[in-house]
Amino acid sequence: MSDSPTVVATHNPDLQHHFSSMEQQQDASMLGMWVFLITEIMFFGGMFFGYMVYRFYYYAAWLEGSQHMDFWWGTINTVVLLCSSLTMVLAVRSTQLNRRKSTVVFLLVTILFGLAFLGIKAIEYHGHWTEHQFPGLNWSWPGPYSSQVALFFSFYWAMTGFHALHMVIGIGLVLFIAYHAWKGKYSALYFNPVENVGLYWHFVDIVWIYLYPLLYLIGHKKG
Amino acid sequence: MSQHIVSAKLYISVWAALICLTVATAAVSYLELGPFNIVLALTIATCKMLLVALFFMGLKYISDRMTIVVIVAGLFWLGILVVLGMSDYVSRAWY
């Protein structure tokens, strides 16, 4: 309110001058992150919608394509991502409790889970590539509905590809946050960067939660 | 609001529930349920999404109403995409 020395002395150095309080800064930061996540929901939503339309039209081809997903790698990757979400949320909690070291450790474990996910995804991609399941570049389908199954695989590569790209960006962000957490930048009063990266990470997890049944499960042990 | 600190025990319970739901959805994919396979799979996925959103993303603890309005509006917009979009493709065969 005033320029009294006591107020200045308690002014948090992490409070940017255009906010009136740490709470307002925190709320604004989270609101901004959610606005961004809504654009991400619409981005992935468009692809999910396209997937739905063509599954409606080419039901048999979707079943056929899904049978060529690796059920076990998909399931393991789902578990890996859920574990990474747990360590991410525990990292945010550690920051809120001013536990600098455990914040860094949880963030690094999150990165390891993220890398494990990408490694498994790379094994799957390699398998699909060597089996000529990349439409447009090396497509060759021995079974029925070749052109329609090619469409299924186009959705597969596009959706998991954009998801993997988000994972790569997410790992970069967590690394950035881990570095600053190590430097002691965050505290119980100032942790919105950690929290927002956490929101991003969980959002990417949610995208996979839907990709897993839609790609891996719909044709599993069917037909 | 932001200063709401959730116990580690709750987070671990949510994680355990998520793992159980993953095992459940993988297990029921072995069954032949016809059209209900996809219904069941998406229902379980939505439960998992809600667990992640409510607890891990802290939706349950957001006090800033503006953020809630933005999230609801965003999901409503996604609903417009799906409902109006599908009503086009589904109804084409009617005429």
Side-chain angles (χ1 to χ4, degrees):
Chain A
M1 289 298 267
S2 69
D3 296 326
S4 76
T6 47
V7 171
V8 173
T10 56
H11 182 97
N12 192 303
D14 293 312
L15 178 62
Q16 292 171 309
H17 69 272
H18 46 281
F19 293 114
S20 59
S21 69
M22 289 305 274
E23 286 72 27
Q24 190 199 28
Q25 175 172 282
Q26 168 74 23
D27 284 346
S29 157
M30 189 186 260
L31 174 63
M33 192 62 201
W34 273 104
V35 170
F36 169 67
L37 288 183
I38 293 297
T39 70
E40 289 276 76
I41 289 172
M42 295 311 290
F43 173 75
F44 279 102
M47 286 188 286
F48 276 104
F49 176 69
Y51 172 99
M52 269 170 64
V53 168
Y54 286 108
R55 181 178 180 275
F56 176 71
Y57 278 167
Y58 307 137
Y59 181 79
W62 251 231
L63 213 58
E64 182 79 17
S66 172
Q67 280 159 11
H68 290 79
M69 298 289 119
D70 194 308
F71 171 75
W72 286 107
W73 278 138
T75 308
I76 291 168
N77 251 354
T78 308
V79 172
V80 167
L81 267 197
L82 292 174
C83 293
S84 79
S85 265
L86 175 67
T87 55
M88 185 72 228
V89 85
L90 289 176
V92 176
R93 182 172 180 276
S94 297
T95 318
Q96 290 173 324
L97 293 169
N98 274 327
R99 295 179 188 158
R100 185 175 69 97
K101 271 188 190 158
S102 73
T103 302
V104 174
V105 169
F106 279 130
L107 289 175
L108 292 180
V109 175
T110 306
I111 290 172
L112 286 181
F113 279 127
L115 291 174
F117 176 91
L118 288 176
I120 290 172
K121 203 70 225 147
I123 294 171
E124 285 186 76
Y125 278 165
H126 179 74
H128 290 305
W129 177 262
T130 53
E131 288 182 34
H132 304 286
Q133 292 166 348
F134 196 106
L137 288 181
N138 70 358
W139 182 254
S140 150
W141 189 253
Y145 319 112
S146 176
S147 61
Q148 298 174 1
V149 179
L151 197 55
F152 173 86
F153 271 94
S154 301
F155 276 106
Y156 166 77
W157 286 98
M159 293 169 95
T160 60
F162 274 116
H163 179 268
L165 176 66
H166 279 74
M167 288 294 297
V168 172
I169 295 169
I171 289 169
L173 290 172
V174 176
L175 201 60
F176 176 82
I177 291 295
Y179 172 76
H180 286 291
W182 178 252
K183 289 277 175 189
K185 190 170 168 55
Y186 310 120
S187 66
L189 285 174
Y190 177 65
F191 59 89
N192 26 7
V194 186
E195 194 172 44
N196 283 350
V197 169
L199 285 177
Y200 178 84
W201 192 270
H202 299 311
F203 166 79
V204 176
D205 190 9
I206 285 177
V207 172
W208 183 262
I209 283 175
Y210 280 101
L211 285 178
Y212 169 59
L214 290 178
L215 296 172
Y216 292 82
L217 297 184
I218 58 162
H220 184 233
K221 300 284 175 191
K222 306 288 179 300
Chain B
M1 53 145 274
S2 51
Q3 282 306 57
H4 192 285
I5 298 174
V6 181
S7 75
K9 214 172 144 188
L10 177 65
Y11 283 143
I12 291 167
S13 311
V14 171
W15 169 80
L18 286 167
I19 298 294
C20 290
L21 286 170
T22 303
V23 172
T25 194
V28 296
S29 77
Y30 282 91
L31 305 175
E32 186 62 70
L33 302 172
F36 289 103
N37 272 116
I38 185 84
V39 174
L40 199 56
L42 287 180
T43 306
I44 293 176
T46 302
C47 292
K48 288 164 73 181
M49 180 275 283
L50 286 173
L51 282 176
V52 172
L54 286 174
F55 294 98
F56 287 177
M57 297 177 93
L59 268 191
K60 195 171 181 293
Y61 310 109
I62 291 181
S63 61
D64 181 27
R65 295 241 175 100
M66 191 61 201
T67 306
I68 303 288
V69 169
V70 164
I71 295 167
V72 172
L75 293 179
F76 183 73
W77 221 245
L78 183 67
I80 292 176
L81 171 73
V82 172
V83 173
L84 288 188
M86 277 318 276
S87 69
D88 171 9
Y89 288 102
V90 171
S91 63
R92 279 183 194 187
W94 297 354
Y95 297 100

